Amino acid sequence: MDDTALPLAQLGQHLITEVQALGLRLEDPQAGAAARRGGAGPTDHKAVTLAGRTVMVPVHSNAAKASPFLARTPDAHGVSVLERNGLAVAKLEFPRQPRFYRMQTFDGIPYSKIAQLHGADVLATTVLQTCIRYGRRSTSCQFCAIGESLKEGRTINRKTPEHLAEVARAAVLLDGVKHMVMTTGTPNFTDRGAAILCESAFAVKAAVDLPIQAQCEPPDDPAWFARLKASGVDSLGMHLEAVTPDVRHRIMPGKASVGIDEYLRAFESAVHVFGRGQVSTYILAGLGDTDAAILAMCETLIRIGVYPFVVPFVPVGGTPLEYQPSPSAAAMRALLAPLGRMLVEGGLKSADIKAGCGKCGACSSLAAYEQDAPAVRAHAI
């Protein structure tokens, strides 16, 4: 495909997809806010603003080291030239280091060890930095690095409700944070983290008016969804990651014990509490699921009212999948273009999510494909 013949919006869409697939080399590794290494969430990535969108791009992966994309040293305003194979292709901006990172709690813990800025305006925290599945090959998710940042001293294991409330308030006042993501390692096989998310959300909402997404595995009792909502959680994430049983058992043998049917029942219960579009799930393209399987699952999820946030798998150093390649930009375009149309037709759009990863959209170019989809009248499902 000749990208030069594409409309401007599609050029930006393709460029973001390519940079996320191939990674980015940095002429100045210290440019902008520090890259995240290890831990949960988008790790080994750096936030950049490209084609009008703030996105997370891999900078420490093996693929990034050989990427054709290079960001030149930014000027005094944080603006850099993005080159592909030595040719300038776009302007790129590096968001500044957040002001709240300079602060610490009354007991001496740096705010950056409690919560991090993701994308442009999202505060994210892993409330519990350990997981009952982590560290054993028989149960651990092979892509997960939740314990690495803890081991390196870049975070603390348990963020108390008081810590989170203090940092959230500062992030809103100093850096204009617009919403918050609270995820957690799985602490048990019953509520699976819902209880600590409830107390954390309640404390934050008491301190500052900030929309919150909570993320955990499906709890054993659907009553937890109403409790999460009552505690101040605005949207909920329960992440499938892979959509077919064989891939789930191979890639995440412990988490696969919570079957797809159990997830679907949990999604239906959660949508009843939070509403259509306010429940989402992460799906990682590139773990072994076919496009057909991913799109079939997305169709089911959209019918239920769940937003399927499909992102390219990016390997993390030190994990069993460290050398598994990410999907190509062409593969992601082939997947995200029809998904963008499905979302618009199903009446689910990232812009309508109150808080969370799907609203932020920095880890995938999916939102750009929603915008590119033809406007249609959302049909009742």
Side-chain angles (χ1 to χ4, degrees):
M1 179 182 293
D2 179 11
D3 281 1
T4 61
L6 292 171
L8 184 60
Q10 283 188 302
L11 279 172
Q13 174 193 99
H14 282 209
L15 184 58
I16 291 171
T17 305
E18 280 205 292
V19 175
Q20 287 191 318
L22 298 174
L24 178 66
R25 293 179 293 122
L26 304 173
E27 186 174 55
D28 177 10
Q30 306 305 314
R36 298 187 66 246
R37 303 201 67 164
T43 189
D44 292 0
H45 285 57
K46 183 182 275 287
V48 300
T49 300
L50 179 62
R53 295 185 61 84
T54 299
V55 296
M56 302 295 287
V57 297
V59 295
H60 293 304
S61 66
N62 291 311
K65 296 172 186 174
S67 173
F69 289 104
L70 172 69
R72 291 293 183 185
T73 299
D75 62 21
H77 303 288
V79 179
S80 169
V81 174
L82 176 66
E83 295 182 353
R84 177 175 180 143
N85 294 322
L87 298 176
V89 294
K91 291 288 182 69
L92 178 150
E93 293 183 51
F94 290 97
R96 58 174 174 75
Q97 192 83 342
R99 294 184 180 93
F100 78 88
Y101 279 20
R102 304 171 192 167
M103 302 178 69
Q104 63 180 29
T105 64
F106 290 118
D107 49 349
I109 302 170
Y111 279 8
S112 61
K113 291 188 176 185
I114 294 169
Q116 296 262 320
L117 187 70
H118 285 199
D121 56 11
V122 189
L123 185 67
T125 185
T126 303
V127 177
L128 181 67
Q129 200 79 30
T130 52
C131 177
I132 51 173
R133 307 193 194 282
Y134 187 72
R136 295 189 297 275
R137 188 61 182 267
S138 61
T139 59
S140 184
C141 298
Q142 294 184 39
F143 50 75
C144 183
I146 191 172
E148 296 308 302
S149 55
L150 181 62
K151 183 172 66 178
E152 297 297 326
R154 292 190 294 271
T155 188
I156 59 173
N157 180 41
R158 178 70 165 92
K159 291 79 172 179
T160 68
E162 295 77 18
H163 285 152
L164 294 169
E166 183 179 338
V167 175
R169 186 171 185 274
V172 169
L173 294 175
L174 297 176
D175 295 283
V177 160
K178 297 294 192 298
H179 56 113
M180 184 173 187
V181 177
M182 292 182 181
T183 189
T184 181
T186 301
N188 57 52
F189 294 121
T190 52
D191 69 76
R192 298 189 174 116
I196 61 174
L197 290 169
C198 281
E199 64 181 24
S200 300
F202 185 85
V204 168
K205 277 293 177 71
V208 64
D209 184 14
L210 185 65
I212 297 170
Q213 183 188 57
Q215 299 177 353
C216 62
E217 293 186 53
D220 63 338
D221 185 347
W224 279 108
F225 299 133
R227 293 168 189 154
L228 285 161
K229 179 76 171 176
S231 73
V233 172
D234 298 282
S235 66
L236 182 69
M238 295 184 291
H239 300 333
L240 281 167
E241 274 99 17
V243 302
T244 49
D246 58 332
V247 176
R248 287 173 59 79
H249 283 287
R250 176 169 53 84
I251 299 296
M252 39 186 160
K255 190 172 180 179
S257 64
V258 183
I260 291 174
D261 287 344
E262 186 172 346
Y263 267 86
L264 292 176
R265 288 192 296 271
F267 286 140
E268 289 180 345
S269 297
V271 169
H272 181 72
V273 173
F274 289 95
R276 283 185 57 83
Q278 301 308 323
V279 179
S280 64
T281 190
Y282 243 87
I283 295 174
L284 299 174
L287 293 180
D289 292 317
T290 65
D291 284 7
I294 291 174
L295 289 173
M297 178 58 73
C298 290
E299 185 175 23
T300 298
L301 294 167
I302 292 169
R303 188 184 315 117
I304 294 171
V306 174
Y307 183 91
F309 189 46
V310 176
V311 307
F313 165 73
V314 177
V316 179
T319 67
L321 296 184
E322 178 178 3
Y323 297 104
Q324 176 154 323
S326 298
S328 69
M332 290 307 300
R333 285 197 296 268
L335 184 58
L336 296 181
L339 178 54
R341 292 191 293 271
M342 289 166 59
L343 286 165
V344 173
E345 290 168 2
L348 300 184
K349 297 190 71 175
S350 56
D352 297 329
I353 302 174
K354 295 177 182 176
C357 293
K359 182 178 185 64
C360 169
C363 294
S364 172
S365 53
L366 176 57
Y369 290 86
E370 289 176 27
Q371 294 170 0
D372 188 50
V376 295
R377 184 171 178 266
H379 60 271
I381 296 180

